[in-house]
Amino acid sequence: MNTLKIRNPASGELVIALPADDARSVAVKAMAARAAQPAWAAWPLADRLACLRAFRAGVVAELDTLATIMTRETGKPIRMARNELNGLLPRIDFFLAECERAIAPETVYEESGLREQIEHVPLGVIANISAWNYPWFVGCNVILPALATGNAVLYKPSEYATLSGLEIARLLHEAGVPRQAMCCLVGTGEVGTALLAQDVDGVFFTGSHATGQRIAESVGKRFLKLQLELGGKDPTYVCEDADPQTAAESLADGAMYNTGQSCCSVERIYVHEAIHDAFVEAFVRAVGAFRMGDPMSEDTYIGPLTRTPQLDVLAAQVADARQRGAKVLTGGRVGDGPGNWFEPTVLVGVDHTMEIMREESFGPVIGIQKVRDDAEAVRLMNDTRYGLTAGVYTRDETRARRILSQVHAGSVYWNCCDRVSPRLPWSGVGDSGVGLTLSKYGIQTFTRPKAWHLRSAG
Ligand code: NAD
């Protein structure tokens, strides 16, 4: 039998070896999901939503245990693990409040015995292949609205967050969702590949650009609904009228929260030359206050990286920047093992010849570049193949709007960063992906609009 070994990234210790899926078990589960989906879709919407409500109660009841499980398998500092679970609750509340309205049938024309209506019908069986960095957020952004709208879900959590994935499935089953309608698959990318070979109606993926590209190639000829939520190289520009201290504290958090492993982490900062030095000084001070250590400890802010190979990626980015003339103001080194430690790192004197300003870092590493004016900032912010989020810090809303309207990104921020709202669509442009989750559109996306032309006889 296949097994999946889960290791604690803070210590390298084996947490558990789980029985894993293989191509055969994936096929069996996919067929069961196909068979179960029509009956699940026939449940009254209110009953499906009652399952989501019971799931929410389960999360609340077990929150501390669920947070500990997440921290043990991902290394996410325990306070942030609890924050994620607490942050999930308003997302569930949003889906509960909006689902009925988002998928209500619409009459769009009615005259002389002719009626035209739009019905939002479920896609059918959907595959959800997911990342590890916010396992409850990225998993539930898909699973909950997909189930609520009557789909069956085959969920392949990341191999680095499988225990959390299994907990999501367990709580949904306990909340009343039929087992075959919500199925968790255990394994690495191979199990993801096996899942893509099944008869599914939609593929919803969250992860790296490289894997997203592979998935798009593998399902491209099948005309499935495909959504890809991928990486970013999210920029922020600090104007000369911003308060350097306030902006630095906000952006240090935006760059380093979750040990820099957020899809919408601030990854590049451009600062107007008039306040560059004051901003950098305040930024380094803010980062110096972040405590790195045992993720189970309440005062830890920087934990281990979840994936060991990312240590080499970060070390190579820092070495490349140094070699091209950047200066490391703090950090810059892999920490002592066991565990995957990388010191929070701030670089200045960076430019776009350096990988650190072009490739996703996905760790506690940031480059700060001096700019002359808004035009240069906009040019540099757009000098990327990604487009997930972008931000501006300024006192002037008109200026912020002017700048942000020129920046190619799915989400833009004025005087804030690293923020996701259930009420707003979450999407990327360019290599950051296609499709969206959250908002009313992130409910409708699990349905297809069916057109009804109805003419009464006589
Ligand atoms: P990853 O691409 O390595 O893995 C993601 C998932 O894909 C995992 O479940 C993995 O097992 C599976 N997988 C790997 N190879 C596969 C294949 N050939 N076929 C099918 N499935 C396969 O990414 P990751 O390290 O888990 O996540 C980090 C990345 O995710 C970062 O780039 C981050 O920016 C991005 N991310 C984006 C968002 C967003 O909303 N845009 C949210 C979270 C994370």
Side-chain angles (χ1 to χ4, degrees):
M1 194 188 15
N2 289 349
T3 53
L4 177 70
K5 288 188 174 140
I6 314 272
R7 292 192 179 277
N8 183 333
S11 63
E13 282 164 12
L14 185 68
V15 175
I16 192 171
L18 288 173
D21 277 287
D22 57 22
R24 229 180 72 81
S25 68
V26 171
V28 168
K29 288 173 180 176
M31 280 188 282
R34 174 63 69 199
Q37 189 269 330
W40 170 242
W43 281 38
L45 175 60
D47 292 356
R48 293 198 303 267
L49 292 180
C51 293
L52 262 59
R53 210 168 283 117
F55 170 75
R56 185 195 194 283
V59 173
V60 171
E62 299 188 32
L63 199 136
D64 285 336
T65 312
L66 300 171
T68 303
I69 291 169
M70 197 183 342
T71 294
R72 280 178 75 204
E73 68 177 337
T74 66
K76 185 186 292 262
I78 188 71
R79 269 191 307 128
M80 298 179 190
R82 284 199 295 266
N83 286 350
E84 180 173 345
L85 289 159
N86 278 313
L88 180 67
L89 306 179
R91 293 193 189 194
I92 302 174
D93 293 339
F94 173 79
F95 293 135
L96 288 171
E98 287 301 316
C99 198
E100 184 169 6
R101 198 174 8 231
I103 60 169
E106 300 161 60
T107 299
V108 291
Y109 182 81
E110 191 161 20
E111 208 176 284
S112 358
L114 177 69
R115 249 178 313 140
E116 296 176 354
Q117 289 183 330
I118 300 170
E119 183 194 11
H120 297 278
V121 298
L123 294 174
V125 177
I126 68 129
N128 178 21
I129 300 177
S130 199
W132 45 263
N133 59 331
Y134 284 91
W136 286 80
F137 280 162
V138 293
C140 291
N141 285 354
V142 170
I143 295 167
L144 300 185
L147 287 173
T149 50
N151 297 277
V153 177
L154 294 162
Y155 169 46
K156 210 299 275 173
S158 166
E159 54 272 41
Y160 296 98
T162 303
L163 297 177
S164 296
L166 289 166
E167 291 299 313
I168 293 173
R170 176 182 65 82
L171 286 174
L172 282 166
H173 295 151
E174 288 175 10
V177 177
R179 288 190 165 270
Q180 283 87 354
M182 167 65 212
C183 187
C184 184
L185 307 171
V186 173
T188 62
E190 274 176 39
V191 172
T193 308
L195 174 55
L196 296 173
Q198 306 308 312
D199 170 29
V200 295
D201 303 293
V203 172
F204 294 78
F205 171 74
T206 309
S208 64
H209 173 260
T211 310
Q213 221 167 24
R214 245 173 262 138
I215 288 178
E217 277 163 15
S218 101
V219 303
K221 287 190 180 147
R222 285 161 64 195
F223 308 143
L224 299 172
K225 172 139 194 182
L226 175 64
Q227 284 202 179
L228 303 169
E229 302 211 336
L230 310 177
K233 190 70 192 168
D234 298 1
T236 297
Y237 168 40
V238 184
C239 300
E240 78 289 349
D241 66 346
D243 174 46
Q245 179 72 32
T246 313
E249 281 170 14
S250 165
L251 287 168
D253 187 47
M256 306 279 171
Y257 190 86
N258 204 33
T259 317
Q261 303 170 118
S262 308
C263 55
C264 51
S265 279
V266 176
E267 289 246 343
R268 304 177 276 152
I269 302 177
Y270 304 98
V271 185
H272 193 283
E273 58 189 7
I275 62 159
H276 175 268
D277 294 355
F279 174 87
V280 168
E281 200 190 314
F283 194 94
V284 171
R285 212 173 26 245
V287 170
F290 293 154
R291 197 177 164 284
M292 180 163 94
D294 178 4
M296 281 307 295
S297 164
E298 289 295 328
D299 56 356
T300 289
Y301 184 90
I302 302 278
L305 296 184
T306 304
R307 294 172 61 252
T308 313
Q310 202 62 16
L311 293 172
D312 290 340
V313 172
L314 297 187
Q317 287 189 353
V318 172
D320 168 75
R322 261 199 176 119
Q323 196 236 325
R324 292 172 196 274
K327 193 168 165 203
V328 177
L329 294 184
T330 184
R333 289 182 313 132
V334 174
D336 294 336
N340 309 328
W341 304 96
F342 200 93
E343 297 171 347
T345 300
V346 180
L347 295 112
V348 290
V350 293
D351 62 45
H352 279 215
T353 65
M354 303 171 186
E355 278 175 28
I356 198 101
M357 298 304 274
R358 290 197 321 267
E359 301 300 330
E360 189 179 46
S361 301
F362 223 57
V365 172
I366 189 80
I368 303 177
Q369 183 169 350
K370 196 186 281 187
V371 293
R372 276 186 310 277
D373 53 25
D374 296 2
E376 185 182 17
V378 168
R379 182 178 63 73
L380 290 170
M381 288 165 97
N382 281 334
D383 182 24
T384 176
R385 58 201 175 95
Y386 291 112
L388 197 55
T389 80
V392 169
Y393 284 66
T394 170
R395 290 180 200 282
D396 181 350
E397 181 174 354
T398 308
R399 182 176 177 186
R401 284 182 174 275
R402 190 172 58 238
I403 293 166
L404 292 173
S405 64
Q406 297 173 69
V407 175
H408 308 303
S411 297
V412 292
Y413 304 122
W414 175 41
N415 292 334
C416 55
C417 60
D418 191 24
R419 179 176 192 281
V420 178
S421 162
R423 296 169 293 276
L424 292 172
W426 185 248
S427 68
V429 298
D431 281 359
S432 290
V434 289
L436 59 90
T437 48
L438 300 177
S439 79
K440 64 180 175 185
Y441 304 110
I443 298 171
Q444 288 176 351
T445 197
F446 298 99
T447 65
R448 63 185 172 80
K450 183 168 181 175
W452 291 77
H453 305 244
L454 303 165
R455 189 185 291 284
S456 54

